[in-house]
Amino acid sequence: MKRPQNIIAESGLTLPVAALFSVVVWLLVGLVRLQLWPQLACFIATIYMVVEMTNQNALLRIRSRMVSSTFIVLSCASCFLFPQMTGGVAQLCMVAAFLMLFQTYQTSRCMGRIFYAFAAIGLGSLAFVQMLWYVPVLWLLMATQLQSMNWRTWLASMLGLAMPYWFALVWFLLPFNLSADWTADLSPLADHFALLADISRPSIPTPPYLLGSILALVLTLILGAIGITHFWQYSFEDKIRIRLLYGFFTAMTAFTVFLILVQPQHFDVLMRLLTLCACPLIAHVLTFTSSRLSNILFFVALGLALALTVFNLIGNV
């Protein structure tokens, strides 16, 4: 029996409506007034890659746009993060890495895709160096979930990570960046990497949207936990490859939550990465359940996300 949630999940209008909703939210956040066009471009590119990731890997076994729609709605619930360019760049680079990595499933000679995937991580780390914390986790997931880890792909990943920094090094070696005695000043690059080791006592930020931040995190955590529990209860209905990909998302979600808890000062960027990693898990439970309780959950979750969006927009005025 199809309930309203299933009709919405399978409708071709779901993504256009969600996209239109996001445009309204962006305008209310201050798209024109604050000139947020680069941030919007990152957001649009991220949505496109989420759609491609869903289609190429058949993350949902029916024709549905729920993964990208869920991503849009959850992102709008944290609309106070839209003006920040760093989070947009990190999110875009992460989904680009996912797109490349998923194409390496059970492929031993996929050095090119691995190179580009980790080049995206390296590029993102130029804006948010803490993205490098994900590298060991990605290596582990390549070995266990994607089954594409060997010494060649590991070497390709290292070269990919290094590539953006090769270009950064060239920048520091340009003549106008040389000191009076014609020596390059590499201290900014050294300071950049030093941030990786800065794991001193976490500081809890007190932004204008502290309550909105907490509510957005709690909503994502609850829906993500429900999504993880449901998927692994009914994972036998999906192919082995899909189970492994959802295991990938589960591990990335759990690691991102861990980072938020131990280093909350990076919440602004990590929250955007959490939204990206959790949206397939949340979309799966919202798409493939059809009980009365799940129908209530669907509309309660949607109502809470919309209410949180309005709450954060009011705080932005």
Side-chain angles (χ1 to χ4, degrees):
M1 174 183 177
K2 284 190 177 182
R3 297 185 181 270
Q5 74 170 97
N6 306 113
I7 296 173
I8 294 173
E10 298 176 21
S11 173
L13 294 176
T14 302
L15 180 58
V17 170
L20 180 61
F21 170 68
S22 70
V23 170
V24 174
V25 173
W26 272 92
L27 289 171
L28 293 175
V29 166
L31 173 63
V32 178
R33 174 172 53 87
L34 301 177
Q35 294 295 297
L36 303 178
W37 304 108
Q39 292 89 327
L40 177 62
C42 283
F43 185 69
I44 293 173
T46 302
I47 295 171
Y48 172 77
M49 290 195 179
V50 169
V51 172
E52 283 297 306
M53 179 179 69
T54 305
N55 292 342
Q56 289 184 16
N57 300 284
L59 295 180
L60 300 176
R61 55 183 181 271
I62 62 172
R63 184 177 179 82
S64 174
R65 300 297 187 189
M66 275 301 290
V67 175
S68 48
S69 300
T70 301
F71 171 78
I72 291 173
V73 172
L74 287 179
S75 296
C76 289
S78 302
C79 58
F80 54 87
L81 299 176
F82 284 172
Q84 300 172 13
M85 190 67 186
T86 301
V89 171
Q91 198 175 53
L92 176 59
C93 291
M94 185 66 81
V95 72
F98 288 173
L99 198 60
M100 290 287 103
L101 284 174
F102 291 168
Q103 295 176 15
T104 69
Y105 174 71
Q106 288 189 340
T107 305
S108 59
R109 294 186 175 274
C110 51
M111 286 73 75
R113 293 186 180 91
I114 295 292
F115 174 86
Y116 289 118
F118 280 86
I121 297 295
L123 183 61
S125 72
L126 286 175
F128 181 63
V129 71
Q130 287 79 9
M131 278 189 73
L132 296 178
W133 287 341
Y134 285 91
V135 172
V137 178
L138 291 173
W139 283 337
L140 179 61
L141 294 175
M142 283 171 56
T144 58
Q145 305 301 118
L146 302 180
Q147 301 170 21
S148 59
M149 183 58 131
N150 54 56
W151 72 269
R152 293 185 183 86
T153 54
W154 180 83
L155 182 59
S157 70
M158 292 297 292
L159 292 174
L161 283 173
M163 187 186 72
Y165 289 96
W166 294 342
F167 289 99
L169 187 61
V170 170
W171 169 264
F172 288 111
L173 293 177
L174 288 175
F176 54 81
N177 281 322
L178 297 178
S179 61
D181 57 355
W182 291 89
T183 59
D185 181 15
L186 299 179
S187 57
L189 199 58
D191 294 340
H192 180 72
F193 284 113
L195 294 174
L196 277 176
D198 184 14
I199 52 175
S200 56
R201 189 174 54 150
S203 59
I204 300 176
T206 55
Y209 309 104
L210 180 58
L211 180 57
S213 302
I214 295 173
L215 293 175
L217 176 61
V218 170
L219 177 63
T220 305
L221 288 179
I222 292 175
L223 293 178
I226 294 173
I228 291 171
T229 302
H230 172 268
F231 179 80
W232 292 111
Q233 281 183 332
Y234 297 94
S235 60
F236 61 88
E237 297 179 356
D238 286 291
K239 297 179 181 178
I240 293 176
R241 182 175 185 272
I242 301 303
R243 295 180 215 168
L244 293 173
L245 292 184
Y246 274 88
F248 184 103
F249 287 122
T250 301
M252 290 293 290
T253 298
F255 183 67
T256 305
V257 171
F258 169 76
L259 290 180
I260 291 175
L261 294 177
V262 300
Q263 295 290 293
Q265 63 267 35
H266 302 303
F267 174 87
D268 290 354
V269 179
L270 293 174
M271 184 62 200
R272 299 189 74 159
L273 298 181
L274 176 62
T275 302
L276 174 64
C277 296
C279 67
L281 297 161
I282 298 171
H284 193 278
V285 66
L286 296 179
T287 302
F288 294 118
T289 52
S290 58
S291 66
R292 182 180 178 183
L293 181 60
S294 68
N295 198 59
I296 294 173
L297 171 66
F298 179 89
F299 287 103
V300 168
L302 180 59
L304 289 174
L306 295 178
L308 186 54
T309 303
V310 173
F311 175 80
N312 286 320
L313 283 173
I314 292 175
N316 189 61
V317 176

